[in-house]
Amino acid sequence: MSSPSILVQADAAALTHAAAARLITRLVDVQASGRIAHVVLTGGRIAAAIYQVVAASPARSAVDWKRVDFWWGDERFLPDGDPERNETQARNAFLNSVGVDPSRVHPMPADVGQGAEKAAADYASSLAAAAGPGDHGGVPTFDILMLGVGPDGHVASLFPEQPALHEQERSVVAVHGAPKPPPTRVSLTQPALARASEVWFVVSGEDKAQAVRLALSGAGELQIPAAAPKGLNRTLWLLDEAAAGQIPKQVRAPRT
């Protein structure tokens, strides 16, 4: 596992553009090696802004979007098309406009009355079907896994002190009683989040600063779930100054 790199931008707008440019560049690099890229998307305000910048960027044409598999780290267990679903957000922000292959977009199942446990099992089956001979844990090795961080230190829908944090066998779980609405969700587990070449934490806002500091200071994952995910090759914390406000300046990389 990699030690984290901390890259800080002046504000949320600069962070959004830097992350979007990095995403495009990384996808180009993966495809230049002849591989299909696997990307795990996240939700939230800053993620939506990044996706919108990608969609508007002239550089997006450098990516063959039909050769990218899109996955999600978690999802609100709501009806299909609900505006609160991470899938809906991503489709509206950029997936509907960049020319993706629909068969390579893998949303977590929506609530159609089947229950969150079955949705989690079905998504685990989809991940296992995409895993290759060199992959582990029934999960493809993701090229990029994007994560936000909550003020409480949660990532995906893995909340502090919740039962899902103890899961070591399954790649996907149903989450009940989440401390923020909606209470029912579907989430990748920590073992699945660990199957990424690069993990990117993209975090904006002063309300996240304490959680960022604790995650980078070796806090326990049961208290601060964001402390656990590490990329197999690289772990990046992409922050604005507000989110980085409690990190000593000497541990940050110089701004580029």
Side-chain angles (χ1 to χ4, degrees):
M1 297 292 182
S2 60
S3 299
S5 299
I6 303 167
L7 306 177
V8 181
Q9 301 294 328
D11 53 29
L15 171 62
T16 295
H17 283 81
R22 186 175 292 272
L23 178 60
I24 291 171
T25 299
R26 177 64 180 143
L27 291 174
V28 169
D29 289 345
V30 172
Q31 291 183 343
S33 72
R35 295 189 292 108
I36 302 293
H38 287 265
V39 178
V40 180
L41 300 177
T42 187
R45 174 182 52 82
I46 196 71
I50 292 167
Y51 304 152
Q52 290 166 355
V53 171
V54 169
S57 172
R60 82 178 208 195
S61 61
V63 178
D64 183 351
W65 295 99
K66 294 187 182 301
R67 297 179 60 244
V68 182
D69 273 87
F70 293 97
W71 305 89
W72 273 264
D74 75 317
E75 188 56 274
R76 297 165 173 85
F77 193 57
L78 296 168
D80 187 44
D82 189 291
E84 293 299 311
R85 277 177 59 85
N86 293 335
E87 174 202 358
T88 306
Q89 178 191 75
R91 287 189 185 278
N92 291 341
F94 86 121
L95 293 180
N96 289 342
S97 62
V98 297
V100 299
D101 178 349
S103 70
R104 294 192 178 279
V105 179
H106 310 280
M108 289 183 166
D111 182 3
V112 294
Q114 83 279 28
E117 281 74 15
K118 185 176 188 306
D122 287 348
Y123 206 63
S125 296
S126 296
L127 288 166
D135 296 322
H136 302 281
V139 177
T141 300
F142 306 118
D143 294 288
I144 306 165
L145 187 148
M146 298 176 65
L147 292 170
V149 176
D152 60 355
H154 82 266
V155 286
S157 283
L158 302 177
F159 293 91
E161 308 289 353
Q162 293 291 308
L165 289 171
H166 297 277
E167 179 60 52
Q168 294 299 314
E169 300 299 325
R170 292 176 291 174
S171 59
V172 191
V173 290
V175 175
H176 299 283
K180 61 181 291 189
T184 304
R185 296 157 175 256
V186 178
S187 181
L188 297 188
T189 60
Q190 291 285 23
L193 296 178
R195 301 311 310 163
S197 175
E198 296 194 5
V199 171
W200 298 3
F201 294 91
V202 185
V203 193
S204 171
E206 185 178 1
D207 61 327
K208 314 290 181 62
Q210 182 178 27
V212 169
R213 175 179 60 81
L214 290 171
L216 287 166
S217 300
E221 66 177 88
L222 292 181
Q223 292 74 40
I224 303 292
K230 302 288 191 302
L232 297 170
N233 296 316
R234 195 173 195 195
T235 305
L236 289 174
W237 284 78
L238 305 171
L239 311 170
D240 64 10
E241 282 287 356
Q246 297 188 25
I247 301 173
K249 291 187 182 296
Q250 61 266 29
V251 305
R252 310 178 189 181
R255 276 195 209 158
T256 58

